[in-house]
Amino acid sequence: MNHEDLRLWSKRAADWAADYHAGLRARPVRPDIAPGSIAAALPPAAPEEAEPMQAIWDDFERLVPGGMTHWQHPRFFAYFPANAAPASMLAEQLANAIAAQAMLWQTSPAATEIEMVMVRWLAGALGLPQARGVIHDSATTATLSAVLTMREKALGWEGLTRGLSGAPRLRLYASDQTHSSVDKAVRLAGIGQENLVKVATDTEGAMDMVALAGAIAADRAAGYLPIGVVVCAGGTSVGAFDRVGAVVALARREGLMSHVDAAWAGSAMICPEFRGLWAGAEAADSVVMNPHKWLGAQFDCAVQFLADPGPQIRTLGLRPAYLETPGVEEITNFNEWTVPLGRRFRALKLWFLFRAYGLEGLRARIRNHVSWAAEAAAALAAVPGVEIVSAPSLSLFSFALAAGDTATEALLARINADGRIYLTQTRHAGRYVIRVQIGQFDCTAEDVRMIATVVTELSR
Ligand code: PLP
């Protein structure tokens, strides 16, 4: 296959994509296939000889669409969304065609400069003063970068050279509602799982401030070295929020860095009326939110805003001879802000997204999702035997059957075998509960009403 062939097949792929999206509602959200069935349909080894593209295409159509969970399905209400607005898909096609590495300004000047401007646009849209930052692949990487920076700042940048042996025991604080990416970060940063202090939350799901202050004081008395606090702004399980301003202020008073994880909920902050939920994020050292979740920028796109990028660059930046560039004082080489060296041109899809829908268009979707989630929770509360376990936090709530965990688990299995909607579970308040999040880019009020229809039918 050469570039002329690519021209033809790309057109065919564009048509296929349009038909695929137009036909999504007619498909079950999740495929009804047995584990191993796709792998069993593939030959055991790569072909020695080139194959015609038509044969490859036919196999794609035969095996892939029917073997996928359809994340862009309008009735995907599981996990969190991974929205890919059509304009962002178009930008991805162009970025794929250019196929550049955005690691240094000189390897991708437009990618670097559009990234700087998109971070500024997004900060403005969210009401954040931290107008500098970087686009990572995922919130997990952003949080790891923040935790590595906390570690190094606390150790006076000695961990980078000497390692951690001989260093005091480091301690990081986060609520028991934070995402497992924080656990991963302490493991990978050499801090260790035992040194992530999971502070208890109160009845509203917010970190207990007295417990946080007490944990820091007790750790200091024990000779440990506190390094920072990760603030939960929209937990994955049921959408818990810490009192962001209070946690960030306490961290500041204690001389600790703060990192706000708003991977999911951050998108809602383009609507001024929701910003009270993370009031105080403006004072944090670092904030991460994922435009690739709710906003509509195709995966992957996690934006980390930094009050001062200096400490993170000092932690992650390396300049071997083969990466030296002239004019380094005036330019930004984004690889120095991130874990990997190579970087995709991710800013293009944000540029297309903002312009193709406008902030008002994006806000309208989020406002719809939040109000439809309230309606769906009210509709489910009226279904006999169903209890709302966590009330909507933005567009996320959970429910269970009064009959108990086993019955709830069996109901979820029936819902997902049915295929009209897709939901997933979590544990909350000691119970097995079913999460419902409303956030699909193309979903309608009617799609959301299907949740109550399906639950009513299948819980009888
Ligand atoms: N933080 C929160 C609150 C999340 O919900 C998630 C994923 O759902 C993450 C972090 C990790 O996101 P990513 O998949 O971008 O690493």
Side-chain angles (χ1 to χ4, degrees):
M1 181 167 182
N2 58 30
H3 287 283
E4 267 316 300
D5 298 327
L6 180 61
R7 179 193 300 279
L8 296 175
W9 285 98
S10 297
K11 287 180 180 150
R12 197 156 159 195
D15 285 338
W16 182 90
D19 293 340
Y20 168 75
H21 285 279
L24 271 179
R25 274 194 184 82
R27 291 179 185 266
V29 189
R30 257 184 24 172
D32 179 18
I33 54 169
S37 58
I38 306 286
L42 300 177
E48 294 293 338
E49 304 296 332
E51 296 185 51
M53 186 46 62
Q54 185 65 53
I56 303 171
W57 180 276
D58 291 345
D59 284 345
F60 163 77
E61 287 204 303
R62 183 171 58 86
L63 291 176
V64 178
M68 292 299 291
T69 296
H70 303 290
W71 279 74
Q72 305 310 317
H73 196 298
R75 294 193 299 270
F76 179 105
F77 303 119
Y79 303 103
F80 280 138
N83 283 334
S88 102
M89 289 187 173
L90 178 63
E92 281 287 70
Q93 282 177 27
L94 299 175
N96 285 342
I98 297 170
Q101 281 289 351
M103 56 194 186
L104 300 167
W105 178 87
Q106 71 177 27
T107 65
S108 281
T112 302
E113 294 185 17
I114 293 174
E115 181 161 342
M116 293 166 79
V117 175
M118 287 310 106
V119 171
R120 268 207 298 280
W121 282 14
L122 186 55
L126 300 171
L128 287 179
Q130 299 95 323
R132 287 180 295 173
V134 61
I135 309 182
H136 298 269
D137 55 352
S138 65
T140 300
T141 312
T143 296
L144 174 62
S145 305
V147 170
L148 288 166
T149 304
M150 291 171 177
R151 183 193 84 184
E152 283 312 304
K153 190 161 181 237
L155 290 175
W157 280 274
E158 294 220 328
L160 292 172
T161 44
R162 290 200 187 164
L164 296 187
S165 56
R169 195 160 166 168
L170 308 178
R171 304 286 267 185
L172 181 74
Y173 308 86
S175 94
D176 58 20
Q177 292 295 307
T178 42
H179 186 261
S180 58
S181 52
V182 183
D183 301 66
K184 191 174 270 191
V186 290
R187 289 167 177 231
L188 298 186
I191 294 164
Q193 183 75 60
E194 286 177 5
N195 295 309
L196 171 59
V197 181
K198 294 265 180 89
V199 180
T201 44
D202 60 23
T203 49
E204 288 170 16
M207 198 188 308
D208 178 333
M209 297 301 296
V210 175
L212 172 63
I216 296 171
D219 283 348
R220 288 214 160 104
Y224 301 159
L225 181 60
I227 63 164
V229 185
V230 176
V231 191
C232 179
T236 315
S237 189
V238 292
F241 279 84
D242 289 336
R243 288 179 196 89
V244 178
V247 181
V248 169
L250 190 143
R252 174 81 32 98
R253 282 198 302 282
E254 293 285 344
L256 305 180
M257 297 188 81
S258 53
H259 170 69
V260 177
D261 179 1
W264 161 66
S267 294
M269 306 309 166
I270 61 169
C271 304
E273 69 270 29
F274 300 133
R275 288 187 197 148
L277 285 168
W278 77 349
E282 327 68 77
D285 293 301
S286 166
V287 178
V288 66
M289 61 82 64
N290 280 351
H292 72 219
K293 283 193 161 60
W294 198 357
L295 201 61
Q298 175 154 11
F299 191 87
D300 52 0
C301 185
V303 179
Q304 184 191 17
F305 301 97
L306 292 161
D308 172 12
Q312 187 154 314
I313 295 171
R314 190 164 173 192
T315 303
L316 301 179
L318 280 174
R319 285 185 193 161
Y322 44 82
L323 293 177
E324 277 172 12
T325 61
V328 74
E329 300 312 322
E330 295 90 62
I331 57 175
T332 297
N333 289 328
F334 270 126
N335 81 83
E336 297 179 0
W337 304 45
T338 58
V339 174
L341 169 62
R343 309 179 64 250
R344 301 181 63 246
F345 183 0
R346 300 191 181 95
L348 195 66
K349 56 197 165 195
L350 277 180
W351 194 36
F352 277 43
L353 180 78
F354 285 137
R355 298 184 62 191
Y357 307 97
L359 287 173
E360 269 307 312
L362 298 173
R363 284 186 197 110
R365 283 183 170 79
I366 289 196
R367 287 176 176 138
N368 277 340
H369 297 156
V370 172
S371 75
W372 293 340
E375 284 170 24
L380 286 189
V383 178
V386 169
E387 294 176 348
I388 301 301
V389 180
S390 61
S393 166
L394 293 169
S395 60
L396 168 66
F397 66 93
S398 67
F399 71 96
L401 289 180
D405 287 1
T406 310
T408 306
E409 198 171 343
L411 171 63
L412 181 63
R414 286 199 296 282
I415 291 170
N416 291 333
D418 174 86
R420 282 174 288 174
I421 60 173
Y422 181 26
L423 302 176
T424 47
Q425 78 296 328
T426 187
R427 289 205 73 84
H428 183 64
R431 297 174 75 175
Y432 179 102
V433 300
I434 301 177
R435 290 169 78 259
V436 180
Q437 69 74 24
I438 315 296
Q440 295 304 95
F441 204 77
D442 288 330
C443 82
T444 62
E446 204 179 324
D447 290 316
V448 176
R449 278 185 215 119
M450 183 69 85
I451 300 169
T453 306
V454 170
V455 172
T456 306
E457 263 176 45
L458 300 181
S459 61
R460 261 184 213 132

